[in-house]
Coordinates of all heavy atoms in Angstrom, one line a residue:
M1 N 18.0 -24.4 25.9 CA 18.3 -24.1 24.5 C 17.0 -24.1 23.7 O 16.9 -23.3 22.8 CB 19.3 -25.0 24.0 CG 20.7 -24.8 24.3 SD 21.2 -23.1 24.0 CE 22.4 -23.4 22.7
A2 N 16.1 -25.0 23.9 CA 14.9 -25.1 23.1 C 14.1 -23.8 23.2 O 13.4 -23.3 22.3 CB 14.1 -26.2 23.5
H3 N 14.1 -23.1 24.4 CA 13.3 -21.9 24.6 C 13.9 -20.8 23.7 O 13.1 -20.0 23.1 CB 13.5 -21.5 26.1 CG 12.6 -20.3 26.5 ND1 11.3 -20.3 26.4 CD2 13.0 -19.1 26.8 CE1 10.8 -19.2 26.7 NE2 11.8 -18.4 27.0
K4 N 15.2 -20.7 23.6 CA 15.8 -19.7 22.8 C 15.5 -19.9 21.3 O 15.2 -18.9 20.5 CB 17.3 -19.7 23.0 CG 18.0 -18.4 22.5 CD 19.5 -18.4 22.9 CE 20.0 -17.0 22.8 NZ 21.4 -17.0 23.3
S5 N 15.5 -21.1 20.8 CA 15.1 -21.4 19.4 C 13.6 -21.1 19.2 O 13.3 -20.6 18.1 CB 15.4 -22.9 19.2 OG 15.0 -23.3 17.9
H6 N 12.8 -21.4 20.2 CA 11.3 -21.1 20.0 C 11.1 -19.6 19.9 O 10.4 -19.1 19.1 CB 10.6 -21.6 21.2 CG 9.1 -21.4 21.1 ND1 8.3 -22.1 20.2 CD2 8.3 -20.7 21.9 CE1 7.1 -21.7 20.4 NE2 7.0 -20.8 21.4
R7 N 11.9 -18.8 20.7 CA 11.8 -17.3 20.6 C 12.2 -16.8 19.3 O 11.6 -15.9 18.8 CB 12.6 -16.7 21.8 CG 12.4 -15.2 21.9 CD 13.2 -14.6 22.9 NE 12.7 -15.1 24.2 CZ 13.4 -14.9 25.4 NH1 14.6 -14.3 25.4 NH2 12.9 -15.3 26.5
A8 N 13.3 -17.4 18.8 CA 13.9 -16.9 17.5 C 12.9 -17.3 16.4 O 12.8 -16.4 15.5 CB 15.2 -17.6 17.2
S9 N 12.2 -18.4 16.4 CA 11.3 -18.7 15.3 C 10.0 -17.8 15.4 O 9.5 -17.4 14.4 CB 10.8 -20.2 15.4 OG 10.2 -20.4 16.6
I10 N 9.6 -17.4 16.6 CA 8.5 -16.5 16.7 C 8.9 -15.2 16.2 O 8.1 -14.5 15.5 CB 8.0 -16.5 18.2 CG1 7.3 -17.8 18.6 CG2 7.0 -15.3 18.4 CD1 6.9 -17.9 20.0
L11 N 10.1 -14.7 16.6 CA 10.6 -13.4 16.1 C 10.7 -13.4 14.6 O 10.3 -12.4 13.9 CB 11.9 -13.1 16.7 CG 12.5 -11.7 16.4 CD1 11.6 -10.6 16.8 CD2 13.9 -11.6 17.0
S12 N 11.2 -14.5 14.0 CA 11.3 -14.6 12.5 C 9.9 -14.5 11.9 O 9.7 -13.8 10.9 CB 12.0 -15.9 12.2 OG 13.3 -15.9 12.6
L13 N 9.0 -15.2 12.5 CA 7.6 -15.2 11.9 C 7.0 -13.8 12.0 O 6.3 -13.3 11.1 CB 6.7 -16.2 12.8 CG 5.2 -16.3 12.3 CD1 5.2 -16.8 10.9 CD2 4.5 -17.2 13.2
I14 N 7.2 -13.1 13.1 CA 6.7 -11.7 13.3 C 7.3 -10.8 12.2 O 6.6 -10.0 11.6 CB 6.9 -11.2 14.7 CG1 6.0 -11.9 15.7 CG2 6.7 -9.8 14.7 CD1 6.3 -11.7 17.1
L15 N 8.7 -11.0 12.1 CA 9.4 -10.1 11.0 C 8.8 -10.4 9.6 O 8.6 -9.5 8.8 CB 10.8 -10.3 11.1 CG 11.5 -9.7 12.3 CD1 12.9 -10.1 12.3 CD2 11.3 -8.2 12.4
I16 N 8.6 -11.7 9.3 CA 8.1 -12.0 8.0 C 6.6 -11.4 7.8 O 6.3 -10.9 6.7 CB 8.0 -13.5 7.8 CG1 9.4 -14.1 7.7 CG2 7.2 -13.9 6.6 CD1 9.6 -15.6 7.7
L17 N 5.8 -11.5 8.9 CA 4.5 -10.9 8.8 C 4.5 -9.5 8.5 O 3.7 -8.8 7.8 CB 3.6 -11.3 10.0 CG 3.2 -12.8 10.1 CD1 2.6 -13.1 11.4 CD2 2.4 -13.2 8.9
V18 N 5.4 -8.8 9.3 CA 5.6 -7.3 9.1 C 6.0 -7.0 7.7 O 5.5 -6.0 7.1 CB 6.5 -6.8 10.2 CG1 7.0 -5.3 9.9 CG2 5.9 -6.8 11.6
A19 N 6.9 -7.7 7.2 CA 7.4 -7.5 5.8 C 6.3 -7.6 4.8 O 6.1 -6.9 3.8 CB 8.6 -8.4 5.5
I20 N 5.5 -8.7 5.0 CA 4.4 -9.0 4.1 C 3.4 -7.9 4.2 O 2.9 -7.4 3.2 CB 3.7 -10.3 4.4 CG1 4.7 -11.5 3.9 CG2 2.4 -10.5 3.6 CD1 4.2 -12.9 4.4
T21 N 3.0 -7.5 5.4 CA 2.1 -6.4 5.6 C 2.6 -5.1 5.0 O 1.8 -4.4 4.3 CB 1.8 -6.2 7.1 OG1 1.4 -7.4 7.6 CG2 0.8 -5.1 7.4
A22 N 3.9 -4.8 5.1 CA 4.4 -3.6 4.5 C 4.4 -3.6 3.1 O 4.1 -2.6 2.4 CB 5.8 -3.3 5.0
G23 N 4.6 -4.8 2.4 CA 4.6 -5.0 1.0 C 3.1 -4.8 0.4 O 2.9 -4.1 -0.5
V24 N 2.2 -5.4 1.1 CA 0.8 -5.2 0.7 C 0.3 -3.8 0.8 O -0.3 -3.2 0.0 CB -0.1 -6.2 1.5 CG1 -1.6 -5.9 1.3 CG2 0.2 -7.6 1.2
A25 N 0.7 -3.1 2.0 CA 0.3 -1.7 2.2 C 0.9 -0.9 1.1 O 0.2 0.1 0.6 CB 0.7 -1.3 3.5
S26 N 2.2 -1.1 0.7 CA 2.8 -0.3 -0.4 C 2.1 -0.5 -1.7 O 1.9 0.5 -2.4 CB 4.2 -0.5 -0.4 OG 4.5 -1.8 -0.9
I27 N 1.7 -1.7 -2.0 CA 1.0 -2.0 -3.2 C -0.4 -1.3 -3.2 O -0.8 -0.7 -4.2 CB 0.8 -3.5 -3.5 CG1 2.2 -4.1 -3.8 CG2 -0.2 -3.8 -4.6 CD1 2.2 -5.6 -3.8
V28 N -1.1 -1.4 -2.1 CA -2.4 -0.7 -2.0 C -2.2 0.8 -2.2 O -3.0 1.4 -2.9 CB -3.1 -1.1 -0.7 CG1 -4.4 -0.2 -0.4 CG2 -3.5 -2.6 -0.7
Y29 N -1.2 1.3 -1.5 CA -1.0 2.8 -1.6 C -0.7 3.1 -3.1 O -1.2 4.2 -3.6 CB 0.2 3.2 -0.7 CG 0.5 4.7 -0.8 CD1 -0.3 5.6 -0.3 CD2 1.6 5.0 -1.5 CE1 0.0 7.0 -0.4 CE2 2.0 6.4 -1.6 CZ 1.2 7.3 -1.1 OH 1.5 8.6 -1.3
A30 N 0.2 2.4 -3.8 CA 0.5 2.7 -5.1 C -0.7 2.7 -6.1 O -0.9 3.5 -6.9 CB 1.6 1.7 -5.6
L31 N -1.5 1.6 -5.8 CA -2.8 1.5 -6.7 C -3.7 2.7 -6.4 O -4.4 3.2 -7.3 CB -3.4 0.2 -6.4 CG -2.7 -1.0 -6.9 CD1 -3.5 -2.3 -6.5 CD2 -2.7 -0.9 -8.5
S32 N -3.8 3.1 -5.1 CA -4.6 4.2 -4.8 C -4.2 5.5 -5.4 O -4.9 6.3 -5.9 CB -4.7 4.4 -3.3 OG -5.3 5.6 -2.9
V33 N -2.9 5.8 -5.4 CA -2.3 7.0 -6.0 C -2.6 6.9 -7.5 O -2.9 8.0 -8.1 CB -0.8 7.1 -5.7 CG1 -0.1 8.1 -6.5 CG2 -0.6 7.3 -4.2
H34 N -2.4 5.7 -8.1 CA -2.6 5.6 -9.5 C -4.1 5.9 -9.9 O -4.3 6.6 -10.9 CB -2.2 4.2 -10.0 CG -2.4 4.0 -11.5 ND1 -1.6 4.6 -12.4 CD2 -3.2 3.2 -12.2 CE1 -2.0 4.2 -13.6 NE2 -3.0 3.3 -13.5
H35 N -5.0 5.3 -9.1 CA -6.4 5.6 -9.4 C -6.7 7.0 -9.2 O -7.5 7.5 -10.0 CB -7.2 4.7 -8.3 CG -8.6 4.9 -8.5 ND1 -9.4 4.4 -9.6 CD2 -9.6 5.6 -7.7 CE1 -10.7 4.6 -9.4 NE2 -10.8 5.4 -8.3
Q36 N -6.2 7.7 -8.2 CA -6.5 9.1 -8.0 C -6.0 10.0 -9.2 O -6.6 10.9 -9.7 CB -5.8 9.6 -6.8 CG -6.1 11.1 -6.4 CD -7.6 11.3 -6.2 OE1 -8.3 10.5 -5.6 NE2 -8.1 12.5 -6.7
H37 N -4.8 9.5 -9.7 CA -4.1 10.2 -10.9 C -5.1 10.0 -12.1 O -5.3 11.0 -12.9 CB -2.8 9.7 -11.2 CG -2.1 10.2 -12.4 ND1 -1.7 11.5 -12.5 CD2 -1.9 9.7 -13.7 CE1 -1.2 11.8 -13.7 NE2 -1.3 10.6 -14.4
L38 N -5.6 8.8 -12.3 CA -6.5 8.6 -13.4 C -7.7 9.4 -13.3 O -8.3 10.0 -14.3 CB -6.9 7.1 -13.5 CG -5.7 6.2 -14.0 CD1 -6.2 4.7 -14.0 CD2 -5.2 6.6 -15.3
H39 N -8.3 9.5 -12.1 CA -9.5 10.3 -11.8 C -9.2 11.8 -12.1 O -10.1 12.4 -12.7 CB -9.9 10.1 -10.4 CG -11.2 10.8 -10.0 ND1 -11.1 12.1 -9.6 CD2 -12.5 10.5 -10.1 CE1 -12.4 12.5 -9.4 NE2 -13.2 11.6 -9.7
D40 N -8.1 12.3 -11.7 CA -7.7 13.7 -11.9 C -7.6 14.0 -13.4 O -8.0 15.0 -13.9 CB -6.5 14.1 -11.2 CG -6.6 14.1 -9.7 OD1 -7.8 14.1 -9.1 OD2 -5.6 14.1 -8.9
E41 N -6.9 13.1 -14.1 CA -6.7 13.3 -15.5 C -8.1 13.3 -16.3 O -8.3 14.1 -17.2 CB -5.9 12.1 -16.1 CG -4.4 12.3 -15.8 CD -3.8 13.6 -16.5 OE1 -4.1 13.8 -17.6 OE2 -3.1 14.2 -15.8
K42 N -9.0 12.5 -15.8 CA -10.4 12.3 -16.5 C -11.1 13.7 -16.4 O -11.8 14.1 -17.3 CB -11.1 11.2 -15.8 CG -12.6 11.1 -16.3 CD -13.3 10.0 -15.6 CE -14.7 9.8 -16.1 NZ -15.4 8.8 -15.4
W43 N -11.1 14.3 -15.2 CA -11.8 15.5 -15.0 C -11.0 16.8 -15.1 O -11.6 17.9 -15.0 CB -12.4 15.5 -13.6 CG -13.3 14.4 -13.4 CD1 -13.2 13.2 -12.7 CD2 -14.7 14.3 -13.9 NE1 -14.2 12.4 -12.9 CE2 -15.2 13.0 -13.6 CE3 -15.5 15.1 -14.7 CZ2 -16.6 12.6 -13.9 CZ3 -16.8 14.8 -15.0 CH2 -17.3 13.5 -14.6
K44 N -9.8 16.7 -15.5 CA -8.9 17.9 -15.7 C -9.5 18.9 -16.7 O -9.6 20.1 -16.4 CB -7.5 17.5 -16.1 CG -6.6 18.7 -16.3 CD -5.2 18.2 -16.5 CE -5.2 17.7 -17.9 NZ -3.8 17.3 -18.4
D45 N -10.0 18.5 -17.8 CA -10.5 19.3 -18.8 C -11.8 20.0 -18.4 O -12.0 21.2 -18.7 CB -10.8 18.6 -20.1 CG -9.5 18.1 -20.8 OD1 -8.4 18.7 -20.5 OD2 -9.6 17.1 -21.5
Y46 N -12.6 19.4 -17.6 CA -13.9 19.9 -17.1 C -13.6 21.0 -16.1 O -14.3 22.0 -16.0 CB -14.8 18.9 -16.5 CG -15.2 17.9 -17.6 CD1 -14.6 16.6 -17.7 CD2 -16.2 18.2 -18.5 CE1 -15.0 15.7 -18.6 CE2 -16.6 17.3 -19.4 CZ -16.0 16.0 -19.5 OH -16.4 15.1 -20.5
E47 N -12.6 20.8 -15.2 CA -12.2 21.8 -14.2 C -11.7 23.1 -14.9 O -11.9 24.2 -14.4 CB -11.2 21.2 -13.2 CG -11.8 20.2 -12.4 CD -10.8 19.5 -11.4 OE1 -9.5 19.8 -11.6 OE2 -11.1 18.6 -10.7
E48 N -10.9 22.9 -16.0 CA -10.4 24.1 -16.6 C -11.4 24.9 -17.3 O -11.2 26.1 -17.4 CB -9.3 23.6 -17.8 CG -8.1 23.1 -17.1 CD -7.1 22.4 -18.2 OE1 -7.5 22.4 -19.4 OE2 -6.1 22.0 -17.8
C49 N -12.5 24.4 -17.7 CA -13.6 25.1 -18.4 C -14.6 25.6 -17.4 O -15.6 26.3 -17.8 CB -14.2 24.4 -19.5 SG -15.3 23.0 -19.0
G50 N -14.4 25.3 -16.1 CA -15.3 25.8 -15.1 C -16.5 25.0 -14.8 O -17.4 25.4 -14.0
L51 N -16.6 23.8 -15.3 CA -17.7 22.9 -14.9 C -17.4 22.1 -13.7 O -16.4 21.8 -13.4 CB -18.0 21.9 -16.0 CG -18.6 22.5 -17.3 CD1 -18.8 21.5 -18.4 CD2 -20.0 23.2 -17.0

């Protein structure tokens, strides 16, 4: 029985780490998209005038 409990705790730990990694990745992606949007807005007027 102890072996099954040990396996369940390892699986739980792996699932928690996957959830944390997915959360961090989504935050990094959202910040990257936001930064790209700010960059595009900054240079939009210059692209329209041909510079």
